[in-house]
Amino acid sequence: MLCPICLHEFDWSEDELYERTPAGQYRRLDLDDVSEALREDLLRAAHVRCPAPVSDPSLEHHLPYTYVRHGRPLVIGLVGGPETGKTHLLAAMIGAIEQGGLRPYGLTADAVDIERHAEYVDTYVHPLLVERIALSRTTHRATAEPMDALLVNDGRHTTAVAFFDIAGELLRSTTHEATRFIPAVGGLLFVIDAATRSARMGDDSFRAVLDRLPKSGGRLDVPAAIAITKSDAVRFQAPVDAWLYAEPDGLDPDAVLAESRDAYAFLHRRGAQAWLSPYDKCRRCTLHFVSATGGAAAEGRFPRGVRPRRVLEPLVSLFAMTGVLRGHPEVGI
Ligand SMILES: Nc1nc2c(ncn2[C@@H]2O[C@H](COP(=O)(O)OP(=O)(O)OP(=O)(O)O)[C@@H](O)[C@H]2O)c(=O)[nH]1
Ligand SMILES: [Mg+2]
Ligand SMILES: [Zn+2]
């Protein structure tokens, strides 16, 4: 098992499980004399202790049992400079999943850790989608933990998927503790601001992350999706409008290829070749036009409501390229 918090690799056993007390402490879970029904219920909330040696007891951490019981989790990292829209995009994605947005793709999703997921929804998804409040910039933290984690099932297999979203400035660093998840990523979600004016400069965070991952034959095997977010700001430009307002109807590799080609041309036309480095460096990479909010914020709010567009397309493409969603090996260009 790979710990998403400290990247320690470890084995674990069913007879060493923990439960969280209301005070947030962990105590050993005894399943010896419980009924089968109660056992399942306790397991849903059970935790496994990460055995990595820690210098300070406060750094000790536990992982949800549901995270480790389905084999190696998929770690997805959002990569993009400051204020490119990573945090809004992730909240819009999780919100869309909550609303059943994966169903057209034959996927279902459940929380890995019910309490933590509820906390994520209360802190990010609900304020954005329901209260229409713009979310704050991501604060600098000393460590990285997944923002949220989901169990994604394609009808046959379940995969735990953990999402990492740290502050854009920190992604440029190759040494900061908060970037420790990078060597463990199984899927990269690059985020480009469609309205950015400094297109020629490229993005230091892309470079830092791409340089840090192992390559074979000069290229990376980690699949990547490039989300051109805030596409609402350029929605009157063809062909952005056609893609942004197209209704998603399942995964169509031809459509993914056509959209990727258009998105590539869009960036190229704007002189944004430097932003295309993930496409050059990753063996499989798709490009997508998305909008997390449907429009710009004014004074910290979205007065006309929040209407995310196509936020799940990059994610589903990553699911297809990583094998979370099987049966679509041809996706990825
Ligand atoms: N028009 C428009 N604005 C957006 C969209 N998504 C985010 N924004 C705005 O972009 C700004 C930055 O968004 P964040 O999601 O905080 O950006 P971030 O990449 O997480 O930034 P850091 O946490 O600082 O790295 C905010 O002011 C949002 O209101 C979108 O889809 N459309
Ligand atoms: Mg952020
Ligand atoms: Zn750990």
Side-chain angles (χ1 to χ4, degrees):
M1 185 45 49
L2 175 76
C3 173
I5 296 170
C6 69
L7 301 186
H8 185 70
E9 302 255 4
F10 66 94
D11 292 322
W12 57 281
S13 82
E14 289 240 354
D15 42 57
E16 232 189 278
L17 294 172
Y18 292 77
E19 65 183 334
R20 193 155 47 195
T21 66
Q25 310 276 299
Y26 291 87
R27 65 169 174 236
R28 283 291 288 275
L29 181 60
D30 186 4
L31 293 169
D32 284 348
D33 299 312
V34 300
S35 70
E36 201 45 44
L38 180 58
R39 189 186 146 84
E40 264 312 302
D41 207 44
L42 288 171
L43 281 178
R44 233 182 303 263
H47 285 72
V48 174
R49 196 176 73 83
C50 172
V54 287
S55 52
D56 175 342
S58 71
L59 296 175
E60 206 165 75
H61 47 272
H62 294 73
L63 306 174
Y65 169 69
T66 44
Y67 187 80
V68 296
R69 84 193 285 191
H70 298 288
R72 200 175 176 89
L74 171 67
V75 171
I76 293 185
L78 282 92
V79 181
E83 289 190 273
T84 44
K86 300 179 293 298
T87 300
H88 284 77
L89 180 57
L90 182 58
M93 282 177 172
I94 303 287
I97 292 173
E98 286 281 290
Q99 290 160 12
L102 288 177
R103 215 174 295 129
Y105 305 97
L107 296 167
T108 57
D110 290 297
V112 162
D113 182 325
I114 295 158
E115 278 176 46
R116 284 220 191 183
H117 174 67
E119 196 183 309
Y120 179 80
V121 170
D122 287 350
T123 318
Y124 296 92
V125 181
H126 198 270
L128 177 65
L129 297 184
V130 180
E131 293 164 38
R132 307 169 170 193
I133 299 172
L135 304 173
S136 312
R137 306 266 315 266
T138 308
T139 51
H140 290 204
R141 267 163 303 192
T143 56
E145 280 190 41
M147 296 291 278
D148 198 10
L150 298 172
L151 294 172
V152 180
N153 184 289
D154 72 347
R156 275 170 294 175
H157 315 271
T158 300
T159 313
V161 182
F163 297 92
F164 281 83
D165 169 32
I166 66 170
E169 285 111 26
L170 295 185
L171 282 167
R172 294 179 190 148
S173 158
T174 49
T175 50
H176 197 284
E177 272 295 299
T179 66
R180 273 185 82 146
F181 69 93
I182 290 169
V185 292
L188 287 162
L189 182 56
F190 291 97
V191 181
I192 295 178
D193 179 344
T196 189
R197 278 175 234 291
S198 54
R200 262 166 228 291
M201 298 309 294
D203 190 316
D204 296 339
S205 68
F206 287 17
R207 207 167 300 127
V209 171
L210 288 166
D211 284 351
R212 195 157 159 187
L213 292 167
K215 291 164 200 72
S216 61
R219 299 180 90 193
L220 266 72
D221 285 317
V222 178
I226 299 178
I228 304 176
T229 194
K230 309 190 196 178
S231 284
D232 54 274
V234 290
R235 67 182 174 280
F236 299 118
Q237 294 182 26
V240 180
D241 49 353
W243 287 115
L244 206 54
Y245 298 103
E247 278 312 319
D249 59 345
L251 184 68
D252 173 0
D254 292 336
V256 174
L257 182 61
E259 182 176 9
S260 294
R261 198 182 290 135
D262 283 353
Y264 186 100
F266 171 86
L267 291 174
H268 203 271
R269 257 200 320 275
R270 292 170 71 100
Q273 283 87 334
W275 296 88
L276 290 163
S277 53
Y279 175 80
D280 296 330
K281 297 233 171 91
C282 299
R283 235 171 228 117
R284 283 170 303 163
C285 177
T286 57
L287 294 87
H288 310 261
F289 293 107
V290 308
S291 169
T293 62
E299 284 158 22
R301 300 187 56 85
F302 295 94
R304 288 185 301 277
V306 173
R307 276 181 292 274
R309 301 296 318 173
R310 312 259 306 172
V311 289
L312 290 181
E313 320 315 286
L315 186 59
V316 171
S317 178
L318 280 179
F319 285 169
M321 292 189 278
T322 52
V324 172
L325 170 59
R326 312 253 167 128
H328 292 279
E330 64 275 55
V331 167
I333 57 169

